[in-house]
Amino acid sequence: MYRVDITLPPKEGRDENADILEIKTTVAGFTDIKVLFSFKELGNSVVILVLRVDKACSWPQLTSFLAGKGYEVKVTPMYYCSDFARELGLNMTRDFYDTSLPDDEDLIIGKQIIPVKDMTTTQYDAMLKTMFEKEMSIVNAGQRAACFRTLASLPVEMIYFAPVRQKKMSAISDTMNAKGYNDFELLRIEKLDHYTGGCE
């Protein structure tokens, strides 16, 4: 699985709305590439896709299309947080986190980098396990979220997509920072399914 960030650079005469809708429809039509999530950053010309590439030979469909358009592209390999939690010894099913998000709520993307600091591997894994246990209780209490871990080894980087009301955004950020997870970033996003763009 991959997170693909596509930035549309400023260009005279660019129809951002048409470009974004073309990205959406073109990628949806690729063979052996499944779009798990598709978003646009609010206020920025950035499309965020989460893709599952079933066959490596399918990848050039995407890279050729994006390169031909002149977009700036960043690709991050990822896998499910639930798989990572199981590696740490937790009993978490793969479908514990959401595979879809509600249509009628504000959405955010959260990126959390968990620093190693002076911890041993055992201490670091124990801290991650405790973090997941707290997260499980939050999700079980009704908070929805999709969660992925980037493939890089250390420090651990987690990516969340979640519905959240405006008041909760600062509370989530404060909570994460208070726990010492001091590299936490929140951005507002909208589903590409509902993106219409244009002037109103």
Side-chain angles (χ1 to χ4, degrees), residues 34-188:
K34 180 172 175 55
V35 180
L36 304 179
F37 293 100
S38 59
F39 305 104
K40 181 191 176 292
E41 280 188 23
L42 287 181
N44 294 313
S45 301
V46 179
V47 171
I48 301 167
L49 305 175
V50 177
L51 306 175
R52 189 187 73 221
V53 181
D54 293 330
K55 294 181 180 177
C57 58
S58 301
W59 192 245
Q61 298 172 97
L62 178 68
T63 54
S64 298
F65 165 67
L66 296 176
K69 292 292 184 178
Y71 301 142
E72 297 170 18
V73 181
K74 179 184 175 187
V75 177
T76 307
M78 306 188 302
Y79 66 105
Y80 289 114
C81 286
S82 49
D83 289 344
F84 178 46
R86 286 203 301 276
E87 290 172 15
L88 294 169
L90 287 165
N91 182 21
M92 185 186 288
T93 60
R94 172 168 279 184
D95 61 357
F96 179 76
Y97 292 99
D98 278 308
T99 54
S100 64
L101 293 171
D103 295 333
D104 57 348
E105 294 189 54
D106 292 334
L107 299 173
I108 58 160
I109 177 174
K111 183 178 80 171
Q112 179 185 7
I113 297 175
I114 305 163
V116 180
K117 296 183 178 176
D118 297 324
M119 288 180 277
T120 65
T121 301
T122 303
Q123 290 170 329
Y124 191 65
D125 287 351
M127 181 189 72
L128 290 168
K129 190 173 179 179
T130 300
M131 182 195 76
F132 271 119
E133 287 168 344
K134 290 178 180 175
E135 207 163 280
M136 288 172 74
S137 65
I138 293 170
V139 172
N140 284 329
Q143 174 62 48
R144 299 186 62 179
C147 179
F148 300 90
R149 185 199 157 168
T150 62
L151 206 53
S153 52
L154 291 174
V156 167
E157 180 179 313
M158 317 277 276
I159 298 169
Y160 298 89
F161 301 100
V164 64
R165 291 179 176 82
Q166 189 65 39
K167 286 192 294 186
K168 274 191 175 180
M169 288 177 67
S170 58
I172 289 172
S173 182
D174 291 346
T175 301
M176 289 301 183
N177 287 327
K179 290 177 182 175
Y181 310 144
N182 51 18
D183 192 350
F184 193 78
E185 175 186 296
L186 289 175
L187 292 171
R188 289 282 305 278

